[in-house]
């Protein structure tokens, strides 16, 4: 299943409600799970981003839809990158040579 690295920043609304951050994550995990998207890792971080997550989704469209729905709630903004495991990268390299 494709993996995605998602960098997350809180909006003003998200910062105002920082105490609910873990609860919001658990609610997002449940909601996204209904569409087949799963958080495999989540870290609250110090620095440029407030959270860094790894999600798995059946495809790019499903991942994008789930993250749009998450962002529409108003507490976070996301930047997402498709990630490749070593085995996937070997296949990509084989196609390139």
């Amino acid at each position: 299943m494709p993996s995605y690295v998602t960098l997350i920043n809180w909006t003003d609304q998200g910062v105002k409600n920082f105490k609910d951050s873990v609860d919001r994550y658990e609610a997002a995990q449940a909601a996204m799970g209904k569409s087949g998207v799963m958080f495999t890792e989540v870290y609250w971080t110090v620095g440029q981003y407030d959270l860094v997550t790894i999600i798995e989704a059946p495809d790019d469209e499903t991942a994008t839809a789930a993250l749009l729905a998450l962002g529409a709630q108003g507490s976070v903004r996301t930047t997402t990158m498709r990630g490749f495991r070593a085995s996937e990268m070997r296949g990509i390299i084989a196609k390139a040579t």
Side-chain angles (χ1 to χ4, degrees):
M1 189 173 312
S3 296
Y4 304 85
V5 178
T6 303
L7 308 172
I8 300 174
N9 278 318
W10 289 329
T11 61
D12 288 342
Q13 175 182 313
V15 170
K16 285 179 188 176
N17 298 309
F18 73 91
K19 292 179 183 178
D20 299 330
S21 178
V22 176
D23 293 334
R24 287 196 314 259
Y25 156 68
E26 290 171 345
Q29 186 176 37
M32 292 169 71
K34 293 176 184 175
S35 63
V37 179
M38 179 178 68
F39 286 96
T40 60
E41 297 285 341
V42 61
Y43 297 98
W44 283 259
T45 57
V46 176
Q48 185 174 356
Y49 298 97
D50 297 309
L51 293 97
V52 175
T53 70
I54 307 296
I55 64 170
E56 290 184 346
D59 51 54
D60 293 348
E61 295 82 4
T62 304
T64 301
L67 291 168
L68 283 170
L70 178 66
Q73 295 177 15
S75 292
V76 298
R77 296 210 189 295
T78 63
T79 301
T80 303
M81 302 168 282
R82 172 68 164 89
F84 299 95
R85 292 179 177 83
S87 59
E88 294 170 309
M89 196 61 203
R90 286 190 188 281
I92 292 167
I93 291 167
K95 287 181 180 185
T97 55

